Amino acid sequence: MGNEHYIIYGSEFSPFSVKVRSYFRYKNIPHEWRPRTKENIEDFQKHAKLPLVPLVICPNGDVLQDSTPILEKMEQLFPENSINPVSQELQFLSQMIEEYADEWGNKPMFHYRWWREADQIEVSEGLASTIAPNASPDEQSLFAEQLRTRMVPRLSFVGSNEQNKETIERSLDDLLHLLEKHLTKRRFIFGGKPSLADFGLFGQLYGCTQQPTTRAILKEYPEILVWIEQMLRPESNGEWEEWGTLELTLLPILTNQIAELYFPWALENAHALKQEKAEFTVCLKGRDFKQDTMKYSARSLNVLKQKFTAVQERGALEEILLKAKCLQPLVSESW
């Protein structure tokens, strides 16, 4: 590949890693996909500021981590065939959906991955085979059990518990039902080209194809399965649509998933962090949702608000957000 290629350290089981890989493929950016394994962990650790994938090593030696900033940085370096709709209104909606996908869409994917025994076993075995590909079957089996033991307690990171289970599982059902309708007449969320929103949602829903419970659920949604498949190696197939043609099926997703779930949760999390509370409870669609306070989620919500504030001539955008019941959280000064 020469010296001008990028290296992506990632995992097939990391929704944020496959999100970045999909983007690099779409933009035809020369890169090497390097699964993080036991054999190359020292090289990974040498570059990593955080022990998390994805990690991108640039040709000049710069190191990038965190999927959203990676995509934003690469868009500056490779502006052709942009993943941002031309319309500033749709560009912000794309950013907002991607933020929702990262911070709320990750909940059902992770919850289903580690809640039931069948999913725990299949995913831990898959992870073991990718992290230790050269290990013997017995060694991989032991490693899989160690991974399972380590990961199940981490369900608390996404608020997965008996109290929240119904809210999390229903949120995926609602998303799939609404997204299936939206994708029936178009290839991608905003028309004929993949957007930031597509890459964000794809990572989480591709993760759902790797575990038996959600894989069975997804069989009922053929349009989404086609979209997931094409997002593995996306190609432009048309132009961006206008809000007028998107509104009928996109507006319900914004209201049901962002206005009624993500924003109330994110705002209460930000309030709890400001008040230095270790956990918080918020009512979501009539049910109490209790979770540990998340610092990163509060920071990323603030970044989204900054992006909203940076939009010039916000009249048309505010009208869309008002109709979607998403405006107040973005203009509120209370956090």
Side-chain angles (χ1 to χ4, degrees), residues 63-192:
V63 175
L64 307 174
Q65 286 186 276
D66 195 343
S67 64
T68 303
I70 289 172
L71 267 58
E72 291 173 343
K73 175 67 174 179
M74 300 309 292
E75 275 294 288
Q76 295 173 6
L77 297 175
F78 298 88
E80 289 188 23
N81 213 10
S82 175
I83 63 169
N84 296 311
V86 177
S87 153
Q88 63 175 1
E89 293 81 25
L90 298 188
Q91 185 172 147
F92 179 77
L93 294 184
S94 176
Q95 293 168 338
M96 186 171 73
I97 293 170
E98 190 252 5
E99 170 71 6
Y100 145 81
D102 283 0
E103 299 303 318
W104 183 275
N106 181 247
K107 292 182 185 298
M109 188 286 298
F110 196 86
H111 160 78
Y112 275 110
R113 178 160 289 187
W114 300 109
W115 186 264
R116 295 169 176 83
E117 185 177 43
D119 300 286
Q120 295 170 7
I121 292 171
E122 183 168 325
V123 173
S124 61
E125 288 177 349
L127 277 167
S129 66
T130 59
I131 297 172
N134 298 318
S136 70
D138 286 346
E139 289 171 333
Q140 283 192 356
S141 181
L142 177 61
F143 184 38
E145 190 54 39
Q146 292 171 342
L147 285 169
R148 183 182 172 191
T149 302
R150 190 171 80 205
M151 295 304 295
V152 171
R154 295 187 181 184
L155 282 166
S156 63
F157 292 174
V158 298
S160 173
N161 54 48
E162 282 291 350
Q163 178 177 328
N164 299 342
K165 176 178 177 290
E166 183 175 331
T167 299
I168 292 174
E169 294 188 357
R170 182 177 174 185
S171 76
L172 180 63
D173 290 341
D174 288 347
L175 170 64
L176 296 177
H177 177 72
L178 295 169
L179 186 59
E180 180 77 4
K181 286 184 179 179
H182 185 66
L183 291 174
T184 299
K185 295 182 179 179
R186 56 188 54 84
R187 217 168 152 184
F188 301 103
I189 293 173
F190 288 94

Side-chain angles (χ1 to χ4, degrees), residues 238-280:
E239 300 302 321
W240 301 111
E241 291 183 41
E242 301 290 334
W243 173 248
T245 63
L246 295 164
E247 180 178 1
L248 181 65
T249 50
L250 187 56
L251 189 68
I253 296 175
L254 303 181
T255 303
N256 182 283
Q257 294 291 298
I258 299 179
E260 297 178 3
L261 288 172
Y262 168 65
F263 272 150
W265 173 84
L267 287 171
E268 200 58 44
N269 177 70
H271 288 149
L273 184 66
K274 196 172 184 180
Q275 295 166 10
E276 299 183 348
K277 293 181 179 178
E279 60 182 27
F280 65 95

